[in-house]
Amino acid sequence: MIHFAIVGCGHIAQKHAESIQFIQDAHLHAVCDTNRITLDDFIVKTGAIGYTNYSEMLDDPKINVVNICTPSGLHERLAVQAANAGKHIIVEKPIALTLAAVDRIEEACLRNGVKCAVVHPNRFRPAIVELKKMIDQGRFGTISHVNATVRWNRNQAYYDQADWRGTKAMDGGVLMNQAIHNLDLLLWLMGPVKRVHAITSTRLRAIEAEDVAAAILEFENGAVGVIEAASTIYPKNYEESISIFGETGTAVIGGPTASWIKHWVFEHSLPSENEQLIQIIEADPYGIPGHQRIIRDMVRAIRDDREPLVTLRDGRNALKLVLDIYAAAERSAMEREEVSQ
């Protein structure tokens, strides 16, 4: 039995707790939160041992894995502390808010011989799995361009739930919080990015970070990427999509979340085959929840002594792309200011 602990008993921790309960050979042993009311509620729901002191929880020798579900600005300290206690780590996205922070986590994991997985669960959606297969099989031929779109709503009430939301030091904006999953998918599907042009803005929400962003990417393989991300869509989430366009194939995965095949055409594929795949996805667009897949994989990675499927370096790459977009947006803003003077 692999024993898990969760630190941070907020909304996302519920997904972790529920996922652990579905996995054979996994057990939620302990939970930790500094808010006693939140912690007590979570203890009642899960039956786990409760701690308000993180260091005391890490002293529990029964714990094998710590799932970090706190605000992003706390990820580095908690991950390094867990690694130093000899615990494997599953950390919610983004893995941290700076590359230096990620590097400190990695150093601690290597020094202590522990594994670290990052929660990018969209890779496991059935439609995305099929998309990855087509790329790996070369069915698109030369890819001309790709598109990632996140048109969602996070209203002011969402940000007002806690004073850390929307801050650069603890949280970030639409790129760091919502679109980072799509950026991870682009890197997983297309490989490294060579050049970035971008504009970000805070248009509607009273927050420090951005609520809308647009970027153009040049991948190392020559393909062009277009990103649109917004948390300003009225009145609710509208669309999330990943689109890939090549010389011998076109695929669009979309819907309110990128879980449904909207367009799927490839050279030498029969329309009946395409339609059958679309129907299979329609019948079960979500498949096994991504959090379950990541937690189950950690159990197997520990048993097989291998890297998790979504690694610390994967988390670092997605974070780096967000930071590169921020840097490109700053350069663009400075250029516009110089022109206006």
Side-chain angles (χ1 to χ4, degrees), residues 1-6 20 25-31 47-49 51 55-67 82 85-88 299 302-303:
M1 185 69 67
I2 301 298
H3 296 277
F4 287 78
I6 294 173
I20 291 167
D25 299 333
H27 173 251
L28 180 57
H29 176 70
V31 294
I49 300 170
Y51 292 88
S55 296
E56 288 181 8
M57 186 180 79
L58 292 179
D59 286 338
D60 188 333
K62 198 167 186 178
I63 295 170
N64 306 112
V65 184
V66 175
N67 292 31
K87 315 299 184 183
H88 303 289
V299 171
I302 293 170
R303 294 267 168 81

Side-chain angles (χ1 to χ4, degrees), residues 243-254:
S243 305
I244 299 183
F245 305 96
E247 62 178 337
T248 56
T250 295
V252 178
I253 311 298

